[in-house]
Amino acid sequence: MKVKYKITAIALAVAFAIGFGVLGSIPADGIPILAYHMVSDEDNHYSISIADFEEQMKYLKEEGYAPISLLEFAKAKKGKFNLPEKPIIITFDDGYVDNYTNAVPIMEKYGMRGTIFMVVNEIGKERYLTLDQLKDLEKRNIEIGSHTANHLPLATLSSEEKKSEIDKSKLLLEWKGLKTVFFMAYPNGSYDKEVEQMLKDGEYLGGLTGDTGLNTFATNPYQLHRINIPQPFFGLKEFKLRFMRANVAAHMGW
């Protein structure tokens, strides 16, 4: 029943938005960071279909959005990089192999790029990216970030466990020959003040949450907002609606 009510609520929200004509374009009162997981046609809550993903990338291109990396965003904050007129950051959590086989070729087709947050101890395992694929992605201008060593919710761990997950994931990626890792996406969006301080001490430049909203230079870099993009029930209209919700959250300070 809960799923039914959720679907009904989304449908009503879409209908309301259409009725007021707000879905014609994506709001842009801050920088959106999109959060994906899988891009495949399998029936999985964390997977968006290949066709829907391509439709979204095509739409972003047509709307004039220009992709930037998280490092470029950090540089822009210090006045060392000029942001495009409509910047967007595209991210993927966990490091699934379909990011390499399905998502990135579509992104390249529409002039997009992004960041993949890798669970380090999953590298090379079934369904996950290999080290060679990660290195190839970097050559193709894809940023690699940390999603911890073992994908454990950080706020639930002891101080020693938190430090191990945070430090080892960065060190192992770099020791494996990848570029310096500057950003972490918190598994399950779980973090606390101690986690933030450990990221700072570990020379990370930022952390990404699961909290919806947009980002400006005033946003805490260790509490960056993202827009979760699951498989849509209502196609591109739902995609636009998620941007609108993030814009509302940014204005309301949620």
Side-chain angles (χ1 to χ4, degrees):
M1 292 296 290
K2 289 183 179 179
V3 173
K4 181 179 179 181
Y5 289 144
K6 183 177 180 181
I7 293 173
T8 301
I10 293 173
L12 289 172
V14 172
F16 178 86
I18 293 172
F20 279 85
V22 299
L23 294 184
S25 61
I26 293 174
D29 292 337
I31 297 177
I33 302 178
L34 306 187
Y36 293 93
H37 288 80
M38 301 177 182
V39 178
S40 73
D41 291 332
E42 67 177 89
D43 185 14
N44 187 305
H45 173 70
Y46 291 101
S47 181
I48 180 172
S49 74
I50 295 170
D52 279 315
F53 183 74
E54 177 157 11
E55 184 179 39
Q56 292 172 7
M57 294 301 105
K58 182 174 183 289
Y59 179 78
L60 293 176
K61 179 69 172 180
E62 291 173 344
E63 285 291 303
Y65 274 87
I68 63 169
S69 69
L70 286 159
L71 185 56
E72 287 169 341
F73 175 61
K75 287 180 177 179
K77 185 175 180 178
K78 294 184 177 182
K80 297 181 179 180
F81 179 80
N82 293 322
L83 291 175
E85 184 177 351
K86 295 178 69 175
I88 192 166
I89 300 171
I90 302 170
T91 69
F92 300 83
D93 284 1
D94 302 333
Y96 294 106
V97 70
D98 58 57
N99 296 174
Y100 183 84
T101 58
N102 298 334
V104 171
I106 291 171
M107 293 169 71
E108 290 175 333
K109 179 179 177 180
Y110 295 101
M112 298 291 163
R113 54 193 170 96
T115 302
I116 293 176
F117 291 103
M118 188 74 217
V119 181
V120 177
N121 285 337
E122 300 295 342
I123 294 175
K125 293 184 179 180
E126 185 178 0
R127 300 184 62 177
Y128 289 90
L129 292 162
T130 67
L131 181 58
D132 285 343
Q133 288 170 334
L134 287 167
K135 289 180 177 179
D136 183 55
L137 287 168
E138 283 195 332
K139 292 177 183 177
R140 294 159 72 176
N141 212 19
I142 299 295
E143 186 178 40
I144 305 300
S146 167
H147 204 34
T148 71
N150 297 291
H151 200 275
L152 300 174
L154 291 171
T156 69
L157 305 180
S158 67
S159 296
E160 183 178 348
E161 290 169 330
K162 288 174 184 175
K163 184 170 177 57
S164 177
E165 288 291 315
I166 291 168
D167 291 349
K168 284 184 179 179
S169 58
K170 176 179 170 65
L171 287 173
L172 286 172
L173 286 169
E174 294 171 359
W175 285 348
K176 289 177 184 292
L178 297 171
K179 296 177 181 178
T180 303
V181 174
F182 290 112
F183 295 90
M184 169 177 284
Y186 305 124
N188 306 117
S190 176
Y191 69 98
D192 55 24
K193 289 297 182 183
E194 185 177 41
V195 167
E196 286 188 48
Q197 188 58 51
M198 286 181 176
L199 259 65
K200 294 175 186 177
D201 294 341
E203 299 184 347
Y204 285 87
L205 298 181
L208 287 79
T209 73
D211 303 328
T212 193
L214 303 175
N215 301 278
T216 68
F217 292 154
T219 306
N220 182 338
Y222 298 92
Q223 295 182 20
L224 293 173
H225 307 290
R226 291 199 286 178
I227 304 172
N228 183 45
I229 310 293
Q231 180 62 38
F233 289 108
F234 304 103
L236 198 58
K237 288 185 175 64
E238 184 178 330
F239 182 65
K240 298 176 188 178
L241 186 64
R242 287 182 177 276
F243 273 84
M244 186 184 73
R245 179 172 177 264
N247 194 53
V248 170
H251 280 292
M252 299 296 291
W254 295 346

